[in-house]
Amino acid sequence: MDVRDHLRDALRNALGRAGVDPLPDEIALERPANLDHGDWSSNVALATAKSAGKNPRELGQALVDALSAELPAHVTGVEIAGPGFVNFRLADSWLHNVLVEVLEEGVDGYARSDLGSGAHLNVEFVSANPNKPLHAGHGRGACYGDSIARLKERCGFRVTRETYINDRGVQMTNYANSLAAAKVGGPIPEDGYQGAYIHEWAAEMPVDADPLEWGLERGKRSHAATLETLGIHHEIWFSERSLVASGAIDAAMDDLRTHEAVFEADGAVWLRSTDFGDDKDRVLVKSDGDLTYLTPDIAYHRDKFDRSDLLFNVWGADHHGYVARMKAAMQLLGHDPDELEIAITQMVDFVKDGEPMKMSGRSGNQIDLDDIIAEVGPDAARFTYLMQSVDSRQTFDLDEVAKKGMENPVFYVQYAHARICSILARAVEAGVERAPLEAVDVALLVDERELALLRSLEELPDIVRIACIDNAPHRVAAWAREQAAALHGFYHDCYVMGDGVSAGLTQARLALVAASQVGLQIALDLLGVSAPESM
RNA sequence: GCCCUCGUAGCUCAGCGGAUAGAGCAUCGGCCUCCGGAGCCGUGUGCGCAGGUUCGAGUCCUGCCGAGGGCGCCA
């Protein structure tokens, strides 16, 4: 049983004895930032005082008296502080239990939860046009989407990673025409694509190839290769053309009509999206009979719902205006709005040599994601994209991110892991045999550095859960930096082996670094960053 | 004009309604007889403005100011 459960039970008991009725549904417990305020703290006296008609300080004191009469497990003291906090002081044994728990559950089991209850979640991300290489901005959505998928998997969702290929429409025709023109050395059409990649790809293209079909595959291959360097795999590359071929668009239109979600006006067919909060109704079929961009996309989301319980989309900031209409469309089809979650990633600015980065020549009007990865490496790219909340605009400084030293957070964290591996390897070389966990006296870990490492490890399950609920992988990145800092501090002050370190303490510290390794591996895996054994 | 996101230290950013707001970089200064000094420790400055809700607000609400993005029978 978690320490918190013990504390909650005890608090509930104490509240009853203090005459609070009814008991509050939830009893908040938190780890105070300041250790002077104890190891765990509850605001329950503050929260319930009013409804119980009591003074918070007095209620708090009553709780402290009741709790002190019979201290919960691990607790060495209870006191009231500030406006009415009940603060618990715990023996180090509660942290020693954390160590045992981490090692017993391991990388696969620790910090896992069942928030998702096995629900099938479809995470759609990247979904870039196949007519040019991925650009640097795509990197953020790509790394974010993949990390979201990893978080959701760890929290009990069954996840499918999917990307949507816009393989029909005007821009595909323009792309094919550009390839065809470049192939014969002619001028690129007015509406065509100007980047150097068009000429590179055209040179690869067999003379008898259909520029559109060949170009589509070439573009997809380019995207897949770039994503591969980041360790990102989509199980499904969903073709927009396949929607047309399968009749899914007609089926979606029929479905919308059945739900009375559309009407005709001015020769066009409109979606009643204002029924569910959109600013205005949206055209689905133009007066010339063509579909708008929205229509196949609705059919696509409808198709995804046929295959999953929940949808998660990662869209760029330029698509935010699209959120309301898609959510409205899904509600018009009878879905709960919460079943479709849409995350918007804000823009990224790239800086190099202290200057805003210029558009690269290769792809015309964009900075290629490949170039960013080549410059800083996949691990640094992923960690950097994920270090910060996607809600805020990001400045990506290539000079900082490319640094191979400890001032670079990704190396700082990875080095912590490598350092642990080095210690464990050193122990093997020195002929130190690891004792089974039951035989390790974890109570020997009393140094503040050792306890700090354990306090941080104890937080990981909460961090993962919060990161999952808030769709915030950056919380995991922040945790990894803290754990790494705790490890480096421990390493500096506490020798695992050497003069004056008893055999028993060596065993306990080996267990401790092994637990830290478990935590770091979990965090780095959630971020999609490698955990190197040496650097 | 409307919608979305953001505004925290000189810079880049954390901060699940809690107590004295934290990291990295940059500045200045300490620490190597042993597991990797690619490290550790110390040092200064800050929540855009004004109201509100709350026992308690950087966090929630409203307004204003500022930045970016979006407002098409384009995709």
Side-chain angles (χ1 to χ4, degrees):
Chain A
M1 192 152 103
D2 197 292
V3 190
R4 272 175 287 191
D5 297 327
H6 289 292
L7 298 180
R8 283 207 181 88
D9 286 351
L11 279 165
R12 215 168 270 123
N13 256 319
L15 282 164
R17 273 192 240 172
V20 174
D21 184 45
L23 293 175
D25 296 333
E26 290 198 5
I27 295 182
L29 278 168
E30 62 174 24
R31 296 264 312 277
N34 186 341
L35 281 178
D36 291 342
H37 297 141
D39 297 295
W40 286 97
S41 173
S42 179
N43 65 1
V44 70
L46 291 158
T48 54
K50 196 171 221 176
S51 60
K54 293 178 188 284
N55 167 308
R57 251 332 265 209
E58 285 172 13
L59 176 57
Q61 189 57 54
L63 296 179
V64 168
D65 292 343
L67 289 161
S68 299
E70 193 180 344
L71 290 172
H74 302 292
V75 175
T76 57
V78 190
E79 56 208 46
I80 182 153
F85 291 106
V86 176
N87 293 341
F88 295 91
R89 272 170 217 293
L90 275 64
D92 295 342
S93 56
W94 84 278
L95 288 169
H96 299 146
N97 283 8
V98 170
L99 172 55
V100 173
E101 185 186 343
V102 172
L103 289 176
E104 282 179 346
E105 297 189 350
V107 175
D108 288 339
Y110 192 61
R112 203 173 269 286
S113 71
D114 192 35
L115 283 173
S117 311
H120 191 166
L121 173 72
N122 180 295
V123 180
E124 183 213 330
F125 61 112
V126 180
S127 296
N129 283 333
N131 51 26
K132 56 171 69 169
L134 294 176
H135 61 71
H138 285 128
R140 192 178 205 186
C143 295
Y144 177 75
D146 188 56
S147 190
I148 287 291
R150 289 163 183 259
L151 272 168
K152 302 288 181 184
E153 281 167 340
R154 191 156 201 101
C155 292
F157 292 87
R158 287 164 50 218
V159 176
T160 299
R161 291 166 175 78
E162 180 158 336
T163 185
Y164 183 68
I165 308 300
N166 202 316
D167 54 5
R168 58 175 278 279
V170 194
Q171 91 289 337
M172 278 306 288
T173 310
N174 292 341
Y175 169 53
N177 290 342
S178 303
L179 280 175
K183 185 70 190 171
V184 298
I188 304 292
E190 186 90 355
D191 300 329
Y193 295 88
Q194 300 292 344
Y197 75 97
I198 284 287
H199 299 279
E200 291 169 18
W201 292 359
E204 294 173 19
M205 182 169 67
V207 278
D208 58 346
D210 176 343
L212 197 149
E213 297 306 323
W214 187 90
L216 170 60
E217 290 311 312
R218 185 63 187 84
K220 282 161 67 177
R221 222 164 55 235
S222 164
H223 291 190
T226 304
L227 293 169
E228 176 64 36
T229 61
L230 290 170
I232 295 170
H233 306 273
H234 292 93
E235 284 104 297
I236 298 178
W237 291 63
F238 194 96
S239 153
E240 180 175 333
R241 288 199 308 211
S242 74
L243 281 174
V244 181
S246 70
I249 294 178
D250 292 336
M253 287 301 295
D254 289 346
D255 200 6
L256 287 167
R257 289 199 178 89
T258 304
H259 283 85
E260 296 179 353
V262 296
F263 64 96
E264 296 195 21
D266 305 326
V269 180
W270 298 71
L271 180 74
R272 295 184 192 280
S273 53
T274 49
D275 286 4
F276 288 100
D278 196 7
D279 294 341
K280 46 188 120 176
D281 292 324
R282 306 290 169 177
V283 172
L284 294 176
V285 185
K286 297 188 268 184
S287 49
D288 64 6
D290 284 350
L291 304 176
T292 64
Y293 177 75
L294 179 61
T295 312
D297 218 6
I298 290 173
Y300 173 50
H301 281 74
R302 184 172 168 273
D303 185 87
K304 287 197 288 185
F305 265 127
D306 285 345
R307 300 181 272 123
S308 357
D309 303 313
L310 301 165
L311 305 187
F312 191 101
N313 292 354
V314 180
W315 286 351
D318 55 341
H319 276 69
H320 104 264
Y322 211 69
V323 172
R325 70 192 72 168
M326 185 55 72
K327 288 204 145 207
M330 293 304 109
Q331 287 178 77
L332 284 163
L333 286 173
H335 289 285
D336 190 298
D338 296 337
E339 292 173 1
L340 167 62
E341 201 161 5
I342 301 174
I344 299 295
T345 62
Q346 296 299 315
M347 299 185 72
V348 186
D349 298 311
F350 293 87
V351 173
K352 193 178 175 183
D353 302 325
E355 304 272 334
M357 226 173 136
K358 298 200 177 67
M359 304 297 185
S360 104
R362 181 164 175 272
S363 296
N365 208 17
Q366 69 176 30
I367 301 167
D368 288 344
L369 179 52
D370 279 342
D371 293 344
I372 300 296
I373 299 169
E375 191 101 17
V376 305
D379 282 339
R382 280 197 73 133
F383 197 90
T384 303
Y385 277 123
L386 293 173
M387 213 162 48
Q388 158 177 359
S389 162
V390 292
D391 287 340
S392 61
R393 187 173 183 136
Q394 179 171 41
T395 302
F396 194 120
D397 187 329
L398 274 80
D399 305 309
E400 294 297 323
V401 179
K403 284 181 179 164
K404 303 290 188 207
M406 295 313 231
E407 70 269 40
N408 186 344
V410 62
F411 284 91
Y412 186 78
V413 173
Q414 288 185 310
Y415 182 51
H417 183 267
R419 189 164 242 180
I420 291 167
C421 294
S422 168
I423 293 169
L424 295 175
R426 176 77 185 217
V428 172
E429 281 170 29
V432 177
E433 199 171 326
R434 287 281 301 280
L437 188 54
E438 317 82 68
V440 175
D441 186 3
V442 291
L444 293 172
L445 301 173
V446 293
D447 190 280
E448 187 44 44
R449 295 291 204 177
E450 298 166 330
L451 300 177
L453 215 34
L454 290 171
R455 278 190 206 98
S456 167
L457 277 170
E458 190 273 337
E459 288 175 352
L460 183 58
D462 279 348
I463 294 288
V464 171
R465 209 186 60 250
I466 292 167
C468 177
I469 292 169
D470 292 349
N471 304 318
H474 73 277
R475 299 294 300 260
V476 177
W479 181 89
R481 296 175 70 174
E482 279 178 25
Q483 176 67 201
L487 187 279
H488 290 308
F490 160 80
Y491 177 86
H492 184 266
D493 284 1
C494 304
Y495 282 93
V496 174
M497 292 153 285
D499 299 344
V501 182
S502 72
L505 186 55
T506 290
Q507 288 296 336
R509 286 179 173 171
L510 284 171
L512 179 62
V513 297
S516 178
Q517 184 183 42
V518 167
L520 286 170
Q521 284 180 4
I522 290 169
L524 287 170
D525 179 68
L526 287 171
L527 299 169
V529 175
S530 70
E533 291 189 11
S534 65
M535 296 177 66

